Amino acid sequence: MSGSSLRGSIAITGVGTAGCGEAAGLSELELLALAAHAAVVDAGLTMADIDGLCTANLNIAMWPLNVVEYLGIRPTFIEGTNIGGSAFVAHLLQAALALQAGICNAVLVCYGSNQRTGTFGRRERTIARNSLDPAPYEAPYAPFNPPSSYALIAARHMHQYGTTRPQLAEVAVAARGWARLNPEAFSRDPLSIEDVLNARMVSDPFGTHDCCLVTDGGGAFVLTRAERAKDAPQPSVYMLGVGTAAWHRTISGMADLTITPSVDSGCRAYAMSGLGPADIDVLQLYDAFTINPILALEDLGFCAKGEGGPFVEGGAIGPGGRLPVNTNGGGLSCVQPNMYGTFAVIEAVRQLRGSCGDRQVAGARAALVNGNGGNAAASQATAILGTAETL
Amino acid sequence: MNGPDEEFRLALESGELRLQHCDGCARAVFPPRIFCPHCGGTALAWRPAQGGGEVYSSTTVHMVPKGQAPYNVSLVALDEGVRLMGRVEGRQVVIGQRVTLRVEKAALIFSPEGETP
């Protein structure tokens, strides 16, 4: 049941990003295509080699069709499952199955959004989404989503376990510390705990610095079977384990606000990989809000439930801390174009290649990526990636 | 024939919160369903909610248009065993506090027990 035959069966051979931050004048497809092209070149392939596609978009229902037409590809494997920002981590499982079954040879996972500078802005998108996917049992109370749903999670966590706002702020400060080492990060000014606590309130307990960035950006990566990856120009990064879990859609439907489905997705990824938390050198945890990495650290077994707040204190997950988390600066300080999943995978790959410069985690061999999706930690996808040594 | 969502909405518009109760497992069901998400039973009967509950979590939304006051959004655990979103109107909203429901303009508004709105 663990799917262990998939362990090490596929590799990420190319990664690419484009327009991280502000990319005025570029469309979503253009950002996607720039990142896709960079990833395919990085993999030592051409677009004509791509015969598998995984992609998703928050606004356009038949997005894979837009992408195949624009890229000029005719893939034999098409995967457009959209479970929110975790989708591109979740796609690893479907892509691995397709590659192992011989349905395709090279899968492109890709995303692009111009939500920061696009003429059809965030407000218009929210109105359109709310009318197409109404939440009749929540809409009358006007939660400011997604912040309010995660604020309800954080408030409950604080009530139940004594988690504090300064502990939440530690997550934002650690992310900024990493971002300051990453030339690609969008927000690189110094940030203190006090700055986070004194910021304008959004939906309490969250101020503006507890909430992720709103940026443009494109991200893409290329997957092939492991034996084919040996010819790739870059050091290959292998998929050791992956798992996806989804339990609800709305915050009202979340069984326990302090426990996310990553309890399940993590177990599945660990079981497939044969690794556990102690084996992980670097983590990329989808940080839509400061509470998310705290929940993920607990649910993925890096600390006990309720101890995530104390765990992150004292710069523990920042540069020089005991556990490196979100080394690119995360969605809080690096890039967050509405769906962050591709960027979490890309940073894990760059760390495992040893190509991260000032922010490189020395000797990183195994990385954990946790994707979060939906307005209420609704979907979680966990992947464990490793260097050739970990096979 | 109206589906459960529409039945629920019509009751709420007439000023009453009604919940489905499953004959099979005796649990209350919310949001309204075609079949019970707990046991799969299809015999779901409508009953008025008693109106008592406890604040499960709560936030104040500060991102409001100029001139508007911040407002409360809460999740309330009703005594029937379901949790739903509503607005708690009180001097201070505290997780764990007992609240009493009233239906106002088809919305669920709660007040701390003993506080008259």
Side-chain angles (χ1 to χ4, degrees):
Chain A
M1 272 294 284
S2 71
S4 57
S5 67
L6 293 178
R7 183 192 198 277
S9 67
I10 66 164
I12 301 173
T13 55
V15 297
T17 55
C20 292
E22 284 183 345
L26 289 170
S27 73
E28 299 202 309
L29 272 172
E30 288 167 346
L31 282 161
L32 177 148
L34 284 166
H37 188 265
V40 169
V41 169
D42 192 48
L45 301 176
T46 68
M47 206 51 82
D49 296 314
I50 298 299
D51 57 2
L53 174 70
C54 300
T55 191
N57 175 289
L58 279 185
N59 308 309
I60 298 168
M62 287 180 265
W63 182 246
L65 303 185
N66 302 54
V67 175
V68 292
E69 178 177 295
Y70 191 90
L71 297 182
I73 58 175
R74 295 184 175 187
T76 53
F77 169 67
I78 301 163
E79 159 61 348
T81 305
N82 191 342
I83 52 170
S86 61
F88 311 92
V89 185
H91 288 162
L92 284 168
L93 175 60
Q94 291 88 297
L97 292 167
L99 284 163
Q100 281 310 97
I103 303 296
C104 54
N105 295 308
V107 178
L108 173 67
V109 184
C110 53
Y111 177 72
S113 165
N114 62 355
Q115 69 155 345
R116 184 178 181 90
T117 60
T119 49
F120 188 56
R122 190 169 175 82
R123 188 173 165 276
E124 288 76 15
R125 285 168 204 233
T126 303
I127 291 166
R129 267 182 224 145
N130 288 347
S131 63
L132 289 169
D133 182 16
Y137 301 104
E138 297 192 345
Y141 313 102
F144 181 68
N145 272 336
S148 289
S149 288
Y150 288 96
L152 288 165
I153 291 176
R156 183 70 196 180
H157 201 276
M158 292 165 83
H159 168 79
Q160 215 162 309
Y161 298 111
T163 311
T164 64
R165 281 205 68 209
Q167 289 169 343
L168 295 174
E170 286 273 1
V171 176
V173 169
R176 184 60 56 87
W178 287 113
R180 287 173 62 72
L181 302 174
N182 179 9
E184 198 177 35
F186 184 62
S187 291
R188 303 186 67 199
D189 293 337
L191 184 74
S192 69
I193 301 282
E194 291 69 35
D195 293 335
V196 180
L197 298 180
N198 294 331
R200 187 165 53 99
M201 286 305 285
V202 174
S203 190
D204 76 298
F206 293 153
T208 52
H209 289 300
D210 290 286
C211 305
C212 64
L213 302 172
V214 174
T215 72
D216 301 329
F221 53 93
V222 173
L223 303 163
T224 67
R225 279 184 295 281
E227 73 270 11
R228 199 161 180 253
K230 293 189 180 81
D231 305 328
Q234 300 281 351
S236 289
V237 167
Y238 297 86
M239 197 274 290
L240 304 177
V242 65
T244 302
W247 292 348
H248 53 272
R249 174 71 176 94
T250 60
I251 194 64
S252 312
M254 188 171 182
D256 179 333
L257 260 60
T258 68
I259 301 174
T260 76
S262 56
V263 166
D264 281 351
S265 63
C267 270
R268 290 165 195 161
Y270 286 137
M272 190 187 289
S273 69
L275 302 185
D279 302 309
I280 303 298
D281 303 309
V282 58
L283 291 81
Q284 310 301 333
L285 307 175
Y286 197 120
D287 53 346
F289 299 91
T290 48
I291 189 67
N292 290 92
I294 289 176
L295 293 170
L297 288 166
E298 295 172 355
D299 291 340
L300 296 167
F302 291 86
C303 62
K305 178 51 65 185
E307 290 176 11
F311 186 88
V312 302
E313 281 181 338
I317 61 172
R322 68 174 180 276
L323 188 68
V325 173
N326 295 345
T327 49
N328 58 348
L332 288 166
S333 281
C334 179
V335 58
Q336 226 299 9
N338 228 335
M339 299 173 91
Y340 174 73
T342 52
F343 301 93
V345 172
I346 290 164
E347 176 65 8
V349 170
R350 288 174 171 169
Q351 283 288 345
L352 295 174
R353 286 179 175 181
S355 65
C356 281
D358 290 345
R359 68 182 192 282
Q360 180 63 44
V361 174
R365 294 172 31 174
L368 183 147
V369 178
N370 192 64
N372 172 80
N375 274 350
S379 70
Q380 304 280 312
T382 309
I384 295 169
L385 308 177
T387 63
E389 286 175 86
T390 61
L391 288 174
Chain B
M1 189 191 89
N2 286 333
D5 275 330
E6 183 65 1
E7 287 292 320
F8 179 92
R9 193 185 66 80
L10 290 171
L12 204 61
E13 297 230 314
S14 74
E16 186 173 62
L17 172 63
R18 293 200 298 159
L19 299 173
Q20 291 173 308
H21 290 257
C22 175
D23 283 353
C25 67
R27 290 180 69 169
V29 171
F30 180 83
R33 297 295 210 297
I34 293 290
F35 60 85
C36 174
H38 308 295
C39 75
T42 53
L44 300 171
W46 291 102
R47 287 182 218 152
Q50 297 301 302
E54 186 183 301
V55 177
Y56 177 76
S57 193
S58 187
T59 184
T60 303
V61 177
H62 293 265
M63 294 292 274
V64 291
K66 273 204 178 95
Q68 277 187 31
Y71 56 88
N72 173 272
V73 176
S74 289
L75 295 174
V76 174
L78 293 183
D79 294 340
E80 283 83 354
V82 299
R83 192 192 303 149
L84 34 72
M85 188 173 281
R87 174 119 47 250
V88 179
E89 294 182 345
R91 282 184 290 276
Q92 202 190 356
V93 182
V94 181
I95 294 176
Q97 80 186 143
R98 293 284 307 168
V99 288
T100 307
L101 167 75
R102 68 179 191 278
V103 178
E104 216 171 76
K105 293 179 186 163
L108 306 176
I109 311 297
F110 296 87
S111 305
E113 234 174 45
E115 258 184 52
T116 41

